[in-house]
């Protein structure tokens, strides 16, 4: 009864997405730091689905890529129980909001939305509203008891219990499950691709985070770090490739600390499609001829190995990943990136601050110098690598000197783009418990403006440096502004727009494009190959 994976455009956008869309990265005049417009976008595999379902659910997602990927897992779990996704709120028996807690503003947006849903419930009393994700985990049953905003509360590790919780809520019971798990990775669940362009997909490789950056609520809302079975990741990526996808982004809060210890149960297999170059893949027992099935040895798989395994699926499948923690990204990962043409030359390497003193308060476990050396190493091993960052202004005790250090490290790193935020104190975090949020809001915002302005210049400069260069581009679809043009991305994750030129190319094709001009956010090119 449940429909298989289905494909739809357009690409989802995220509050702190790592893939800025065409023209959308940031707009200085409006102080629009990144694309927040499509946060909360509702999506479903079909605009109108003719199948008959027990109930229909509507799901809206906020926050990071992980949340959007999780909504696809939720959809898969619900589908199996006979629930169908709808994009129309009016048709829905169940309304879900997959929430984000990373900054206060994200939570406020969701609260406002929940109030609207409550009004809707008054008109249609049978409708159930569920809150999923980080806010559910952070606020737990408060939603049911104090706020009475919703009927169901489910944390990020409890989605398998959602169908049971729906039944409980239908019977008028409290339906809460916010248990965090040390094992759950949803490895066996094949996500329903709810809102994809059919070309790029997100594949979750790990969950949770052990880092305890002092400003961050994620370790509390998403629990301990755990890595997903490498075989299931490779299989999911291969299935995507075989159904027409050309790009996968491997997702985790800290992908470089991916570490999977295969169990040695008999019958566990990993299919190796293309086994020529295997330096990093000693985990696979000898041989490696095309198409052979080989057993895992009882050896752990690191992120570098996983990258190589996914890259070997096909040279026509592009691999991206996010997010890298500067302390964890290894030379092994950089060498693997350099070795495979289809691993995109792009690293999202959040610095957060350029001041060693602030970095220490943030518990980032590296200094300014250490970070700079890492950037240097990336440039050395992958000279054409794109680098982006996350930056927070106005963290506790930050002074003008610290702020200058941040501006200075941005110049040193020459980021292609950044996601920039002012500090928002989150209840329960280390910073909340230990430090005073003592930088006045106007100063936080003024510094943020400085950071945005500098990033604007750096992005423009980086794009100008590409004029005259030739790139392999994966076509993702039509340009939103002009349907006579294609929009795609370079390996470095830069958006490029170019005239279709009566060519027979289509979405998902690789083409060669020469850069002729640029804006701050977009390269403008023309086709070289015809
Ligand atoms: N305030 C502001 N920005 C934050 N981030 C995480 N927590 C906070 C906070 N409390 C930013 C960091 C992180 C990105 C996902 O969100 O820059 O890398
Ligand atoms: Fe939060 Fe730091 Fe973990 Fe990223 S690495 S999710 S910023 S604690």
């Amino acid at each position: 009864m449940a429909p298989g994976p289905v494909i739809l455009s357009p690409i989802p956008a995220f509050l702190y997405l790592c893939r800025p869309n065409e023209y959308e990265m940031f707009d200085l005049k409006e102080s629009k730091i990144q694309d927040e417009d499509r946060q909360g976008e509702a999506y479903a595999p079909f605009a109108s689905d003719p199948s008959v379902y027990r109930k229909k659910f509507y799901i809206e997602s906020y926050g990071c890529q992980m949340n959007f990927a999780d909504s696809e897992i939720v959809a898969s779990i619900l589908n199996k129980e006979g629930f169908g996704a709808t994009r129309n709120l009016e048709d829905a028996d169940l309304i879900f909001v997959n929430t984000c807690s990373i900054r206060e503003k994200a939570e406020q947006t969701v609260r406002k939305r929940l109030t609207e849903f409550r009004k809707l419930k008054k008109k249609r009393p049978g409708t159930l509203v569920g809150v999923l994700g980080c806010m559910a985990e952070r606020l737990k049953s408060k939603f049911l008891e104090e706020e009475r905003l919703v009927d169901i509360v489910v944390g990020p590790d409890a989605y398998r219990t959602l169908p049971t919780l729906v039944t409980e809520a239908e019977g008028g019971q409290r339906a809460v499950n916010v248990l965090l798990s040390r094992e759950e990775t949803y490895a066996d669940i094949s996500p329903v691709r709810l809102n994809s362009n059919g070309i790029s997909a997100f594949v979750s490789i790990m969950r949770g985070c052990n880092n305890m950056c002092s400003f961050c609520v994620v370790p509390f809302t998403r629990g301990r770090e755990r890595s997903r079975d490498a075989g299931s990741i490779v299989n999911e990526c291969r299935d995507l490739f075989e159904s027409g996808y050309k790009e996968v982004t491997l997702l985790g809060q800290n992908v470089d600390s991916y570490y999977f210890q295969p169990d040695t149960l008999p019958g566990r297999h990993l299919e190796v499609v293309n086994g020529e170059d295997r330096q990093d893949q000693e985990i696979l027992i000898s041989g490696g001829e095309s198409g052979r099935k080989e057993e895992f040895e009882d050896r752990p798989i690191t992120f570098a190995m996983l990258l190589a395994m996914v890259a070997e699926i096909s040279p026509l499948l592009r691999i991206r990943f996010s997010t890298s923690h500067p302390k964890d990204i290894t030379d092994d990962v950089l060498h693997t990136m350099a070795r495979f043409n289809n691993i995109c030359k792009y690293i999202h390497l959040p610095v957060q601050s350029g001041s060693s003193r602030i970095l220490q308060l943030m518990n980032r476990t590296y200094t300014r110098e250490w970070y700079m050396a890492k950037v240097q190493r990336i440039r050395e091993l992958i000279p054409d690598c794109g680098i982006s960052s996350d930056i927070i202004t106005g963290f506790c005790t930050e002074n003008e000197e610290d702020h200058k250090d941040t501006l200075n490290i941005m110049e040193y790193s020459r980021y292609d783009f950044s996601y920039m935020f002012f500090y928002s104190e989150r209840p329960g975090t280390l910073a909340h418990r230990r430090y005073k949020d003592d930088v006045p809001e106007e100063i936080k915002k003024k510094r943020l403006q400085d950071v945005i302005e500098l990033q604007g210049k750096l992005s423009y400069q980086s794009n100008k440096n590409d004029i005259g260069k030739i790139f392999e581009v994966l076509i993702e679809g039509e340009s939103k502004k002009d349907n006579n043009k294609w929009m795609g991305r370079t390996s470095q994750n830069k958006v490029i727009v170019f005239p279709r030129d009566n060519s027979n190319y289509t979405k998902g094709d690789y083409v060669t494009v020469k850069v002729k001009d640029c804006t701050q956010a977009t390269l403008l090119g023309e086709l070289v190959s015809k």
Side-chain angles (χ1 to χ4, degrees), residues 122-185:
K122 284 218 174 96
K123 281 194 236 147
R124 290 206 324 257
T127 316
L128 295 176
V129 177
V131 54
L132 319 176
C134 290
M135 241 176 123
E137 192 61 52
R138 197 177 82 73
L139 297 168
K140 303 193 165 55
S141 54
K142 252 189 170 180
F143 273 118
L144 296 177
E145 284 149 11
E146 290 168 24
E147 314 197 20
R148 303 195 166 276
L149 276 178
V150 299
D151 307 286
I152 303 168
V153 182
V154 197
D157 286 347
Y159 295 144
R160 285 181 203 268
T161 63
L162 203 44
T164 317
L165 294 170
V166 169
T167 312
E168 281 170 17
E170 282 169 341
Q173 292 176 52
R174 287 162 44 99
V176 190
N177 189 346
V178 286
L179 286 176
L180 287 173
S181 155
R182 280 178 182 259
E183 284 94 37
E184 181 62 272
T185 59

Side-chain angles (χ1 to χ4, degrees), residues 16 64 101-103 215-218 253 323 348 350 352 364 390-393 419 421-426 429:
Y16 45 101
C64 66
S101 288
I102 203 129
R103 281 168 289 276
F215 51 79
C216 188
V217 78
V218 167
Q253 306 294 346
T323 293
H348 183 57
Q352 312 296 1
R364 287 292 287 179
D390 289 347
I391 296 162
I392 299 177
T393 63
Y419 302 100
F421 317 98
F422 63 83
Y423 174 57
S424 160
E425 186 179 65
R426 307 310 293 131
T429 55

Side-chain angles (χ1 to χ4, degrees), residues 299-318:
R299 302 247 325 253
I301 294 168
T302 63
F303 183 57
M305 291 166 168
L306 180 73
L307 267 181
M309 286 155 73
V310 178
E312 287 205 328
I313 291 172
S314 166
L316 293 178
L317 180 67
R318 271 187 172 184

Side-chain angles (χ1 to χ4, degrees), residues 185 187 205 227-234 258 260 263 268 296 306:
T185 59
I205 65 162
S227 296
R228 178 180 165 189
D229 183 314
S232 83
I233 297 170
V234 174
Y258 177 88
F260 179 71
D263 60 38
R268 290 280 310 279
F296 279 129
L306 180 73

Side-chain angles (χ1 to χ4, degrees), residues 71-305:
S71 291
E72 298 186 333
I73 288 170
V74 167
S76 175
I77 292 169
L78 291 171
N79 252 193
K80 283 209 178 73
E81 297 298 317
F83 298 94
T86 172
R87 287 186 214 175
N88 304 322
L89 199 49
E90 295 71 35
D91 294 345
D93 307 292
L94 305 163
I95 300 172
F96 293 114
V97 197
N98 199 349
T99 61
C100 170
S101 288
I102 203 129
R103 281 168 289 276
E104 199 182 339
K105 187 165 173 267
E107 290 202 353
Q108 280 165 357
T109 313
V110 167
R111 258 176 220 285
K112 227 173 100 203
R113 199 66 184 131
L114 288 174
T115 320
E116 288 164 21
F117 293 151
R118 189 166 51 176
K119 284 189 204 138
L120 203 138
K121 253 173 84 80
K122 284 218 174 96
K123 281 194 236 147
R124 290 206 324 257
T127 316
L128 295 176
V129 177
V131 54
L132 319 176
C134 290
M135 241 176 123
E137 192 61 52
R138 197 177 82 73
L139 297 168
K140 303 193 165 55
S141 54
K142 252 189 170 180
F143 273 118
L144 296 177
E145 284 149 11
E146 290 168 24
E147 314 197 20
R148 303 195 166 276
L149 276 178
V150 299
D151 307 286
I152 303 168
V153 182
V154 197
D157 286 347
Y159 295 144
R160 285 181 203 268
T161 63
L162 203 44
T164 317
L165 294 170
V166 169
T167 312
E168 281 170 17
E170 282 169 341
Q173 292 176 52
R174 287 162 44 99
V176 190
N177 189 346
V178 286
L179 286 176
L180 287 173
S181 155
R182 280 178 182 259
E183 284 94 37
E184 181 62 272
T185 59
Y186 301 108
D188 57 312
I189 293 178
S190 162
V192 172
R193 304 287 159 190
L194 287 171
N195 191 8
S196 155
N197 59 359
I199 303 301
S200 351
F202 295 97
V203 174
S204 164
I205 65 162
M206 60 200 297
R207 300 181 71 82
C209 183
N210 285 355
N211 281 328
M212 288 295 190
C213 298
S214 64
F215 51 79
C216 188
V217 78
V218 167
F220 304 96
T221 59
R222 288 192 161 262
R224 305 289 292 171
E225 185 180 290
R226 65 225 99 115
S227 296
R228 178 180 165 189
D229 183 314
S232 83
I233 297 170
V234 174
N235 288 340
E236 184 175 332
C237 294
R238 183 178 305 116
D239 287 349
L240 285 164
F241 181 66
E242 284 168 1
S243 50
Y245 283 81
K246 294 289 173 58
E247 182 177 87
V248 290
T249 302
L250 307 181
L251 285 184
Q253 306 294 346
N254 181 10
V255 287
D256 301 282
S257 65
Y258 177 88
Y259 188 84
F260 179 71
Q261 177 78 56
D263 60 38
T264 44
L265 292 176
R268 290 280 310 279
H269 285 98
L270 173 75
E271 193 169 347
V272 179
V273 168
N274 173 2
E276 335 100 13
D277 189 346
R278 195 57 60 63
Q279 290 160 32
D280 277 327
Q281 297 209 296
E282 301 134 343
I283 38 130
L284 301 168
I285 295 177
S286 69
E289 284 157 32
S290 200
R292 263 185 60 177
K293 288 203 169 186
E294 301 174 68
E295 275 183 49
F296 279 129
E297 250 184 27
D298 185 18
R299 302 247 325 253
I301 294 168
T302 63
F303 183 57
M305 291 166 168

Side-chain angles (χ1 to χ4, degrees), residues 274-447:
N274 173 2
E276 335 100 13
D277 189 346
R278 195 57 60 63
Q279 290 160 32
D280 277 327
Q281 297 209 296
E282 301 134 343
I283 38 130
L284 301 168
I285 295 177
S286 69
E289 284 157 32
S290 200
R292 263 185 60 177
K293 288 203 169 186
E294 301 174 68
E295 275 183 49
F296 279 129
E297 250 184 27
D298 185 18
R299 302 247 325 253
I301 294 168
T302 63
F303 183 57
M305 291 166 168
L306 180 73
L307 267 181
M309 286 155 73
V310 178
E312 287 205 328
I313 291 172
S314 166
L316 293 178
L317 180 67
R318 271 187 172 184
I319 326 298
R320 298 187 183 278
F321 55 90
S322 187
T323 293
S324 291
H325 194 299
K327 78 174 162 54
D328 293 317
I329 188 162
T330 58
D331 271 10
D332 252 6
V333 168
L334 301 180
H335 284 302
T336 308
M337 287 177 74
R339 192 150 60 84
F340 286 91
N341 190 40
N342 57 334
I343 303 182
C344 290
K345 306 297 177 269
Y346 163 65
I347 301 175
H348 183 57
L349 196 73
V351 67
Q352 312 296 1
S353 166
S355 151
S356 292
R357 188 181 72 82
I358 295 293
L359 286 169
Q360 188 170 11
L361 294 179
M362 287 177 162
N363 199 25
R364 287 292 287 179
T365 71
Y366 53 83
T367 60
R368 164 189 179 79
E369 290 71 27
W370 200 92
Y371 183 93
M372 289 160 91
K374 191 57 84 178
V375 168
Q376 175 60 28
R377 188 70 177 148
I378 294 170
R379 303 245 183 256
E380 207 174 295
L381 295 180
I382 316 170
D384 59 341
C385 196
I387 305 181
S388 61
S389 191
D390 289 347
I391 296 162
I392 299 177
T393 63
F395 186 67
C396 313
T397 80
E398 186 189 75
N399 58 34
E400 280 304 314
E401 271 312 295
D402 300 316
H403 177 52
K404 279 197 192 118
D405 282 348
T406 297
L407 296 174
N408 177 279
I409 210 164
M410 289 174 69
E411 298 210 33
Y412 175 87
S413 309
R414 288 179 276 123
Y415 297 126
D416 296 306
F417 50 92
S418 292
Y419 302 100
M420 300 158 281
F421 317 98
F422 63 83
Y423 174 57
S424 160
E425 186 179 65
R426 307 310 293 131
T429 55
L430 290 182
H432 173 238
R433 283 183 274 144
R434 283 191 197 155
Y435 315 123
K436 198 159 164 243
D437 180 13
D438 58 356
V439 178
E441 186 147 322
E442 341 56 277
I443 295 183
K444 285 181 183 175
K445 288 188 173 164
K446 158 77 182 63
R447 290 183 188 157

Side-chain angles (χ1 to χ4, degrees), residues 17-22 24-25 346 417 419 489 493 495:
L17 86 178
C18 296
R19 300 168 54 85
N21 288 328
E22 183 187 354
E24 291 177 336
M25 188 168 58
Y346 163 65
F417 50 92
Y419 302 100
R489 264 169 232 271
N493 206 24
V495 171

